[in-house]
């Protein structure tokens, strides 16, 4: 007994952070409306660095111009020379810029030059001293009157980050990824080195430091980054990601992390969420400001959540064409909030003009998009009174459209039938081979077939001579409840197993031999006299091109003549004439 079952299959969503997000944050496996991120400025130049003083944001761009943002509008402040890469403001709001060639600018004008090739980090203290990190591990201290001195030299090749807090200077380095605490000129030591258990890269870089309740620093190694919290006696990794980390910033109990994919937030308790997804790396975060430097975009993070946002899945591929069921969502929808779902389908790996438009699911989640190899779903979240719906999981129910078997090959090779059957869904096939005379209408069974490839030689003489059609009938109904059938017919094909008939007369020493075949052309004739070697003979008209041919053979008196003739199917007749 064969039991047929219709299977309902479920696709289940994975990590939402791999999807397209707009106004939605993803953390702990759930999606909800994110803090509202407003683009406040865009420029055709790169934004290189920013600094904040008295709620005024100062912006250094690749056009060698410093701008400021007063909370309403971005204005140009002054031009600079020397291609500076860093900007810092002291407590009085004076701006310092540094970068290539050891040149330090104050308020856009040349202030002093340090004996280094590259300045790589800058910070200030409450007394308006400026600290410069550079190549060869050098750190310089510059007083407000412009006097500088070698302050400390880290045991590494380059200083990559500086932070002054609680009466001490903290420095990060490259390529060993060391964290230093410096309490006075020449007085300092390495206080942190983070090494992952599976670390393979010999190069590590501390990209940012934040000192508050404990010391936070970010470490990058090739295309991997982590944020580490240093407590008095121990190091804790509170965040990691398989991409570079460019900056960190602490806001209340949350650590903001700027990465290649956007802005993440995390806590020391292990919470991790992507709150802003960007199309280019986020190079700097100085809460509430966010910089996508390569695109020249400046954003501001709001205290309230977005009113609306969406999440769009990556294209989901099926190796067979599905029949859609429902979109089933595990979610919480507080009063006044809304979640609406949409789908679109297509047969290319990425959505293009050939894909369908977005179609909403109905109230029961029924998917209305037509069957296709790929599907994408979208969830639109709408908040109310700073409340957000929460989406935990999305599942799609489906079954498959059964596709018919395909007869790739069905042909004759002489009197042998050859077939090749493919099953696009991988189902088992069952087939029958049938035949019928051209003059009849009823098919008779010849053979059951269970293998997709094979050949069958028609046994000689088992079928009467004549022209036949042959049919290959194939189904997958053994394993599919909605079994599909396909068939193919070839022919007419001649089966001829009968030799030609020989009739003759004899007169005046000449045999006149007439040869006739019902279906096939006469193709060859020869004779032997008195058991001599066979001699080839042509028909009367000189050409073998008919089912009836005449031959003339002259023999001597009392000679014994043996005559052999064959048709085009190698059916031969032999007769002795005397």
């Amino acid at each position: 007994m064969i039991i047929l079952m219709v299977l309902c299959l479920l696709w289940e969503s994975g990590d939402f952070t791999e999807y397209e997000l707009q106004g939605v944050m993803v953390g702990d496996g759930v999606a909800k409306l994110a803090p509202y991120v407003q683009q406040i400025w865009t420029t055709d130049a790169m934004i290189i660095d920013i600094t904040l003083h008295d709620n005024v944001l100062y912006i250094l761009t690749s056009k060698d111009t410093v701008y400021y943002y007063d909370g309403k509008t971005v204005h140009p402040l002054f031009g600079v020379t020397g291609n500076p890469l860093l900007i810092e403001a002291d407590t009085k709001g004076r701006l310092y810029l540094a970068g290539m060639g050891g040149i330090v600018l104050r308020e856009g004008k040349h202030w002093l030059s340090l004996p280094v090739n590259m300045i790589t980090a800058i910070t200030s203290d409450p007394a308006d001293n400026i600290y410069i990190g550079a190549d060869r591990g050098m750190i310089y201290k510059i007083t407000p009157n412009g006097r500088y001195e070698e302050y400390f030299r880290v045991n590494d090749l380059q200083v990559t980050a500086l932070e002054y807090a609680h009466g001490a200077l903290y420095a990060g380095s490259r390529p060993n990824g060391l964290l230093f605490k410096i309490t006075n000129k020449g007085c300092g030591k390495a206080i942190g080195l983070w090494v992952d258990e599976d670390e393979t890269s010999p190069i590590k870089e501390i990209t940012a430091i934040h000192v508050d309740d404990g010391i936070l620093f970010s470490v990058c190694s090739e295309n991997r980054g982590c944020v580490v919290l240093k407590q008095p006696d121990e190091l804790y990794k509170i965040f990691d990601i398989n991409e570079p980390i460019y900056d960190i910033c602490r806001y209340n109990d949350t650590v903001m992390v700027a990465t290649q994919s956007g802005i993440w937030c995390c806590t020391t308790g292990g919470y991790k969420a992507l709150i802003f997804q960007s199309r280019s790396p986020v190079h700097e975060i100085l809460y509430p400001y966010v910089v996508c430097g390569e695109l020249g975009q400046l954003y501001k993070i709001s205290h309230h959540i977005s009113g609306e946002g969406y999440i769009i899945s990556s294209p989901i591929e099926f190796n067979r064409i599905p029949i859609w069921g429902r979109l089933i969502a595990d979610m919480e929808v507080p009063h006044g909030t809304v979640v609406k779902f949409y789908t679109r389908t297509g047969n290319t790996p990425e959505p293009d003009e050939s894909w369908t438009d977005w179609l909403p699911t109905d109230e029961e989640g029924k998917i209305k998009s037509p069957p296709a190899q790929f599907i994408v779903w979208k969830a639109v979240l709408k908040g109310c009174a700073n409340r957000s719906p929460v989406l935990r999981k999305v599942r799609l129910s489906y079954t498959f459209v059964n596709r018919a078997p395909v007869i790739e090959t069905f042909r004759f090779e002489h009197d042998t039938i050859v077939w090749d059957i493919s099953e696009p869904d991988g189902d088992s096939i069952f087939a029958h081979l049938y035949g019928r005379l051209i003059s009849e209408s009823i098919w008779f069974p010849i053979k059951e077939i269970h293998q997709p490839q094979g050949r069958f030689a028609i046994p000689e003489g088992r079928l009467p001579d004549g022209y036949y059609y042959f049919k290959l009938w194939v189904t997958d109904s053994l394993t599919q409840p909605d079994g599909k059938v396909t068939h193919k017919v070839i022919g007419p094909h001649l089966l001829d197993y009968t030799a030609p008939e020989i009739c003759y007369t004899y007169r005046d020493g000449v045999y006149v031999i007439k040869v006739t075949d019902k279906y096939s052309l006469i193709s060859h004739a020869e004779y032997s006299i008195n058991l001599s070697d066979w001699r080839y003979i042509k028909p009367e008209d000189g050409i073998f091109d008919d089912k009836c041919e005449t031959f003339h053979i002259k023999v001597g008196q009392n000679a014994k003549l043996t005559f052999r003739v064959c048709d085009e199917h190698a059916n031969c007749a032999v007769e002795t004439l005397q």
Side-chain angles (χ1 to χ4, degrees), residues 155-223:
N155 187 26
D156 212 340
L157 296 182
Q158 191 177 72
V159 178
T160 55
L162 290 173
E163 174 81 358
Y164 192 93
H166 308 310
L169 180 67
Y170 296 85
S173 72
R174 182 183 188 276
N176 293 318
L178 298 171
L179 177 67
F180 295 85
K181 181 179 181 180
I182 307 156
T183 55
N184 212 329
K185 179 181 179 180
C187 299
K189 63 178 180 179
I191 60 171
L193 171 62
W194 177 258
V195 179
D196 274 321
E197 294 180 357
D198 56 350
E199 180 64 66
T200 58
S201 172
I203 299 176
K204 292 187 289 294
E205 173 181 347
I206 293 182
T207 56
I209 304 169
H210 184 89
V211 181
D212 196 347
D213 183 14
I215 304 167
L216 286 166
F217 60 97
S218 55
V219 182
C220 280
S221 171
E222 290 186 348
N223 289 322

Side-chain angles (χ1 to χ4, degrees), residues 23 58 105 162 214 264 274 289 335 363 375 385 388 398-399 407 420 432 442 509 560 572:
Y58 298 94
L105 308 179
L162 290 173
W264 294 73
L274 176 62
Y289 299 104
H335 178 71
E363 293 181 356
I375 188 170
S388 171
Y398 63 95
T399 186
I407 300 173
D420 183 1
H432 267 293
I442 298 177
K560 183 177 181 180
C572 299

Side-chain angles (χ1 to χ4, degrees), residues 214-480:
I215 304 167
L216 286 166
F217 60 97
S218 55
V219 182
C220 280
S221 171
E222 290 186 348
N223 289 322
R224 184 174 181 182
C226 64
V227 177
V228 179
L229 172 63
K230 175 174 173 50
Q231 297 287 24
D233 300 320
E234 208 165 351
L235 295 175
Y236 301 91
K237 180 168 67 174
I238 65 171
F239 177 89
D240 64 349
I241 193 169
N242 289 325
E243 57 187 74
I245 294 176
Y246 300 104
D247 200 8
I248 57 175
C249 178
R250 191 157 193 167
Y251 175 70
N252 294 334
D253 295 330
T254 301
V255 179
M256 303 287 187
V257 185
T259 75
Q260 186 167 323
S261 59
I263 294 294
W264 294 73
C265 68
C266 62
T267 66
T268 56
Y271 178 75
K272 172 181 174 181
L274 176 62
I275 65 171
F276 173 66
Q277 186 182 68
S278 65
R279 296 182 179 179
S280 71
V282 176
H283 290 106
E284 192 158 0
I285 178 167
L286 192 56
Y287 192 86
Y289 299 104
V290 175
V291 171
C292 293
E294 292 179 0
L295 296 181
Q297 294 172 342
L298 178 66
Y299 298 88
K300 184 177 181 180
I301 303 174
S302 172
H303 294 289
H304 62 271
I305 66 172
S306 301
E308 181 176 323
Y310 64 78
I311 176 170
I312 299 178
S313 75
S314 303
I316 306 160
E317 180 179 7
F318 298 85
N319 58 2
R320 295 165 58 181
I321 303 299
I323 298 174
W324 308 121
R326 296 172 54 229
L327 187 150
I328 306 162
D330 178 5
M331 58 185 178
E332 294 178 11
V333 186
H335 178 71
T337 67
V338 177
V339 180
K340 292 184 178 181
F341 291 97
Y342 303 81
T343 60
R344 62 185 303 209
T345 56
N347 291 305
T348 57
E350 294 295 331
D352 57 23
E353 64 277 1
S354 68
W355 279 51
T356 66
D357 293 332
W358 289 108
L359 293 176
T361 60
D362 65 15
E363 293 181 356
E364 296 180 352
K366 176 66 178 176
I367 298 172
K368 299 178 182 179
S369 298
Q373 188 178 358
F374 296 87
I375 188 170
V376 169
W377 59 265
K378 176 170 69 173
V380 177
L381 286 66
K382 295 183 179 181
C384 178
N386 217 34
R387 296 192 304 270
S388 171
V390 176
L391 180 62
R392 292 190 174 87
K393 185 185 300 182
V394 171
R395 293 183 292 174
L396 306 180
S397 67
Y398 63 95
T399 186
F400 284 118
V401 174
N402 182 36
R403 293 176 288 180
V406 177
I407 300 173
E408 305 283 358
T409 301
F410 185 42
R411 68 176 186 272
F412 271 104
E413 292 180 0
H414 304 295
D415 285 347
T416 298
I417 298 174
V418 178
W419 67 86
D420 183 1
I421 305 166
S422 66
E423 219 307 319
D425 300 330
D427 298 323
S428 298
I429 59 103
F430 176 71
H432 267 293
L433 180 62
Y434 295 92
R436 70 173 175 87
L437 277 165
I438 192 173
S439 59
E440 297 179 352
S441 60
I442 298 177
W443 295 94
F444 56 85
I446 298 176
K447 180 180 177 61
E448 285 187 2
I449 294 172
H450 298 278
Q451 298 300 322
Q453 294 88 29
R455 56 179 56 233
F456 175 70
I458 299 174
E460 184 175 345
R462 299 288 180 88
L463 294 174
D465 290 359
Y467 285 93
Y468 286 83
Y469 286 111
F470 293 90
K471 178 171 71 172
L472 184 61
W473 178 93
V474 188
T475 183
D476 61 359
S477 59
L478 291 179
T479 52
Q480 286 293 337

